[in-house]
Amino acid sequence: MSYPVLICDDSALARKQMARSLPASLNADITFAVHGLDALEQLEANTFKLMFLDLTMPELDGFGTLEEIGKRGIDIPVVVVSGDIQPKAKERVMALGARAFIQKPIDKEALKAVLRELVEVASQPQIMTPVSVELPVLKRRDIYMEVANVSIGRAADALARHFDVFVHLPLPNVNIFEVSELHMALRDLAENDQVSGVCQGFSGEGIAGEALVLLSDSSVTDLKKLMKVPADSEELEELELLMDVSNILVGSFLNGLGEQSEVRFFQSSPVLLGQHISIDSVINSTSGSFTKTMTFEVSYNIDGTSIRCDLLFMFVDESLPLLDNKLSYLMEDF
């Protein structure tokens, strides 16, 4: 007898990894959903014995999906599988009724432990009928989106633990830009006229680039309040705060990327691009660095504040074949 399972994740790579990770002994009959609204439609129309749920998704995220499952009285054990590994994220999903939490990239031993707890095993051996499932076809961008998603989750976790806050994680943007397009993207990032910017170079096994951390002036003010820094403190204390945030975000993101690509990245000390300056001044400081680049971009928002921190990773064009090669295992069947 087959075991109906619903896998909900906007990432084609994550859906494939989850499906491939389920043990053959489960005899899973798998249905995919690409966001929370899609999952709720599937849950209303079909009966499932187990659901795997991502958190960071378009349309309706995992938190909202869990809330709706509870409101609608849908009885199904839900296992959250996410790159958002903040302690407060785990507490929130368990309070919303999730039965277990597994962090990405998925560990098969952790999955087996969860299945042993949640799946009823028949006392008599059963004859299994193989169930086929059409796995997602992966594209290059699917790989980079999921790799970025896991890495930004590592950075959010480090920021959340450092400041004891909950960080809202949107979907990352992954693009290959010409330099003029990069400048347009930077302008879109800056909601306010005045920002403070920090830049850090990074490299590892020939893969190199720059990370840019931007904080609007209002975000800097709120961050100082969060850290109980006097509002009339000197610029030096504000600068230390900026450097601190940059080191946390860039270092933890690179650790997440390095784990997935098996590359040890080294980062340079943060360099101040300017405080309370226009975004055009930031753009001018990056004009000579790139002609073409792949970027990972994300905006972190801290719960209960107006703090928004924009993080942009820019890889030099020559690094892309090397990074492709390091991540090529994700394209393979396993």
Side-chain angles (χ1 to χ4, degrees), residues 293-309:
T293 177
M294 182 178 70
T295 65
F296 292 169
E297 171 202 327
V298 66
S299 296
Y300 295 98
N301 295 276
I302 294 180
D303 192 42
T305 75
S306 62
I307 297 171
R308 168 177 160 161
C309 180

Side-chain angles (χ1 to χ4, degrees), residues 12-165:
L13 172 60
R15 295 195 300 274
K16 182 176 182 178
Q17 286 180 322
M18 188 71 249
R20 291 282 191 178
S21 297
L22 292 174
S25 58
L26 186 63
N27 205 29
D29 182 4
I30 299 170
T31 299
F32 292 120
V34 296
H35 51 65
L37 294 180
D38 186 12
L40 291 170
E41 288 183 8
Q42 296 283 359
L43 288 168
E44 294 285 5
N46 305 286
T47 299
F48 298 96
K49 292 186 177 180
L50 185 62
M51 177 180 180
F52 294 97
L53 178 67
D54 185 29
L55 291 181
T56 307
M57 298 182 292
E59 303 295 338
L60 183 65
D61 65 15
F63 298 109
T65 305
L66 282 168
E67 287 178 1
E68 280 298 313
I69 287 173
K71 287 177 183 177
R72 299 184 189 190
I74 300 172
D75 184 18
I76 183 171
V78 178
V79 178
V80 170
V81 183
S82 177
D84 185 355
I85 58 173
Q86 303 173 72
K88 292 182 187 297
K90 294 180 183 179
E91 291 172 10
R92 186 175 171 189
V93 298
M94 300 308 283
L96 287 170
R99 298 286 298 277
F101 186 105
I102 301 175
Q103 77 173 52
K104 292 180 176 180
I106 194 163
D107 179 85
K108 289 187 179 182
E109 291 306 314
L111 174 61
K112 287 179 182 177
V114 168
L115 291 176
R116 281 195 296 269
E117 181 179 343
L118 296 182
V119 176
E120 294 181 5
V121 180
S123 57
Q124 298 297 325
Q126 296 180 341
I127 299 174
M128 293 195 309
T129 304
V131 176
S132 61
V133 59
E134 186 175 345
L135 294 174
V137 177
L138 299 181
K139 299 178 182 178
R140 182 180 185 229
R141 191 169 185 274
D142 295 324
I143 303 297
Y144 280 105
M145 281 289 289
E146 184 62 12
V147 167
N149 189 42
V150 170
S151 301
I152 67 171
R154 297 288 192 276
D157 179 54
L159 192 67
R161 291 174 186 272
H162 187 79
F163 293 118
D164 191 25
V165 294

